[in-house]
Amino acid sequence: MELCTCVARSSAPPSSSCRAVPFPRVLSHRIWSRSGYCTVCFTPSSPVARSRFSTLMTTAHNTGTPDLVDFNWDDLGFQLIPTDFMYLMSCSSDGVFMNGKLVPYGSIELNPAAAVLNYGQGLLEGLRAHRKEDGSILLFRPHENARRMEIGADRLCMPAPSVEQFLEAVKLTVLANKHWVPPFGKGSLYIRPQLIGSGAILGVAPAPQYTFIVFVCPVGHYFKGGLAPISLLTEEEYHRAAPGGTGEIKTIGNYASVVSAQRRAKEKGHSDVLYLDPVHNKFVEEVSSCNIFMVKGNIISTPLLTGTILPGITRRSVIEISQNLGFQVEERLITIDELLGADEVFCTGTAVVLSPVGSITYRGRRVEYGKNQEAGVVSQQLYAALTAIQKGLTEDSMGWTLQLT
């Protein structure tokens, strides 16, 4: 077996999964069988791996405008498309992340006793990179994602990379895959940072080691119909989160719990599920993976953040844009009956951006919004204002974007 020499030059603890010698007398780290990278220091340790990594890095850091990959961008949807690089950084129980590196995109090795696999100790984030008309690349509010991960990590007793480390990892990963950023107007590069308890543990407790991962994927619209209004089915049996739980952070378990209701809704022809509060079962909370808004006259309302609703970054952005456009914005408790009587309803999120709702079904009653299944005037106005900033089509007076190239 090929072994990494990182123990000789690093204070990082050896991996207990190494089979070179019986645990606990481990003298060196195990190498990834797939790509030739150490599972702890992520160094390309074999000559083949070093050669491949050097070639990829030379291509990725070409100072000229990168050639786009040969891809049919017009057919881009929202599904996984493997790119070239991902970013990995680890820390031990001291909580200090260090030695982050880009490596070729691929599988990672986890001990079956890893905390993330047994107890769900993990967080995820989502943000986008857009290509401007001049070919340069913009990130949208990445600082907010970094801060939200810190908050979630504290709730789950996990150390988190600093805001600076988070931003550096995101920037390096995007630039290394910049030829995967779709052409202007054809989509965006979805960025998925993850923080997981990668260390092995048997009892319920914080993991002894953690891994921070960033991978990217080119995407188009989240819903198949693009900007066509979606159909929501109100869920009354299951709830997304409970008071005192983890509904307000992006822990991985929040998303596994919505799959069953979502599948049932799609089998009935709906796009997604609308969840009500778990106490009274009448106040609107959010959709499976996005926040929800209603429009009534000149007032735009969205559910109050009470601890069970994710504080979406797109949600906050739409609130501020709406206020700047002269709308009155309310964050308050909204009953399902109020929502059904709205002039317009729309969802917001990194994945869905701003998606108009065409209908909501509640207790067998279907309520439709708008005419001829078209997006409402306010939804179109807010979508245009939001995406103009994200794509660099207008001056960013809010200071939300970060230009990379």
Side-chain angles (χ1 to χ4, degrees), residues 129-203:
H130 290 269
R131 192 179 295 280
K132 296 174 61 178
E133 289 181 300
D134 64 5
S136 61
I137 299 171
L138 286 180
L139 297 179
F140 184 71
R141 308 193 76 173
H143 297 78
E144 296 301 316
N145 295 92
R147 295 187 184 102
R148 188 168 64 183
M149 176 167 277
E150 286 185 327
I151 294 171
D154 182 68
R155 175 67 175 83
L156 297 186
C157 293
M158 306 170 72
S162 67
V163 172
E164 292 73 21
Q165 288 175 318
F166 183 102
L167 294 176
E168 181 69 9
V170 167
K171 289 189 286 187
L172 285 174
T173 310
V174 172
L175 290 175
N177 295 284
K178 60 185 177 181
H179 55 291
W180 283 101
V181 181
F184 173 78
K186 296 294 185 179
S188 61
L189 190 71
Y190 190 80
I191 307 163
R192 172 51 57 82
Q194 299 168 305
L195 179 61
I196 62 172
S198 51
I201 192 166
L202 186 60

Side-chain angles (χ1 to χ4, degrees), residues 281-295:
N281 212 36
K282 69 175 184 179
F283 294 109
V284 175
E285 294 227 316
E286 60 180 283
V287 182
S288 300
S289 60
C290 47
N291 297 117
I292 193 162
F293 287 75
M294 62 171 276
V295 181

Side-chain angles (χ1 to χ4, degrees), residues 195-320:
L195 179 61
I196 62 172
S198 51
I201 192 166
L202 186 60
V204 180
Q209 290 92 31
Y210 298 88
T211 301
F212 176 61
I213 307 166
V214 182
F215 71 89
V216 297
C217 174
V219 297
H221 294 297
Y222 183 79
F223 293 112
K224 291 182 179 180
L227 291 177
I230 63 172
S231 170
L232 299 179
L233 176 64
T234 307
E235 176 62 43
E236 294 186 83
E237 179 181 359
Y238 296 126
H239 295 93
R240 179 189 163 275
T246 56
E248 63 183 349
I249 63 172
K250 282 186 77 72
T251 180
I252 57 179
N254 288 350
Y255 298 90
S257 63
V258 306
V259 173
S260 177
Q262 188 181 63
R263 182 175 63 181
R264 288 206 318 268
K266 291 186 176 182
E267 288 174 349
K268 295 178 180 179
H270 299 282
S271 309
D272 214 326
V273 176
L274 173 65
Y275 287 91
L276 303 178
D277 78 285
V279 178
H280 304 94
N281 212 36
K282 69 175 184 179
F283 294 109
V284 175
E285 294 227 316
E286 60 180 283
V287 182
S288 300
S289 60
C290 47
N291 297 117
I292 193 162
F293 287 75
M294 62 171 276
V295 181
K296 191 70 173 178
N298 195 53
I299 301 175
I300 297 176
S301 304
T302 191
L304 181 69
L305 300 178
T306 58
T308 56
I309 298 172
L310 184 73
I313 295 168
T314 310
R315 172 187 181 275
R316 172 51 52 187
S317 302
V318 167
I319 287 174
E320 295 181 41

